Amino acid sequence: GGWPVALVALICFSICVNAAEGTSYGIVPYMIPQDLAIVSATVGAGGTLGAVIATWSFYKSIQDVLLPFKLHACYVMFWALTVLPMRWDHLGSMWWRPGADKAASAGAASAGEAPAASAA
């Protein structure tokens, strides 16, 4: 192997990390659009704080060579799976479409029009 294999592994890992970060930051504008700066700062700081917490709790105090990596993998998988139930009323989610009335009013509001009245 040597360093060329390590370099290729590092490049592949970096691409996957950047893709994962992109998915996190990709949902930021939809969280609370009127407070975009605050939400962006919280997500950015949370990622940095999460790295510090993971390093401190998994790698500093555990003497086993492989166990910290297993625990960190479980930690990452847990937080990745919290994305599955996320849902916004006007956008829907990974599993469900948005409500018809809410989607229509959100679309009209973003276009600067008055929201359509519900026929309920």
Side-chain angles (χ1 to χ4, degrees):
W3 71 267
V5 174
L7 181 63
V8 169
L10 179 66
I11 291 170
C12 292
F13 179 75
S14 296
I15 290 170
C16 292
V17 166
N18 284 322
E21 289 173 354
T23 59
S24 298
Y25 286 107
I27 64 171
V28 167
Y30 302 107
M31 300 297 261
I32 308 171
Q34 64 273 17
D35 294 325
L36 182 58
I38 294 170
V39 175
S40 297
T42 303
V43 169
T48 304
L49 180 63
V52 171
I53 291 171
T55 300
W56 180 78
S57 47
F58 299 135
Y59 298 98
K60 297 275 184 185
S61 60
I62 300 174
Q63 298 303 319
D64 186 19
V65 176
L66 193 55
L67 183 60
F69 293 101
K70 291 179 180 178
L71 292 173
H72 196 172
C74 291
Y75 174 78
V76 169
M77 185 59 80
F78 170 78
W79 288 110
L81 291 174
T82 63
V83 173
L84 297 175
M86 287 184 189
R87 183 176 187 281
W88 290 267
D89 291 336
H90 65 289
L91 296 172
S93 71
M94 190 181 270
W95 311 109
W96 299 282
R97 293 184 178 186
D101 295 338
K102 293 176 184 171
S105 64
S110 66
E113 304 167 1
S118 159

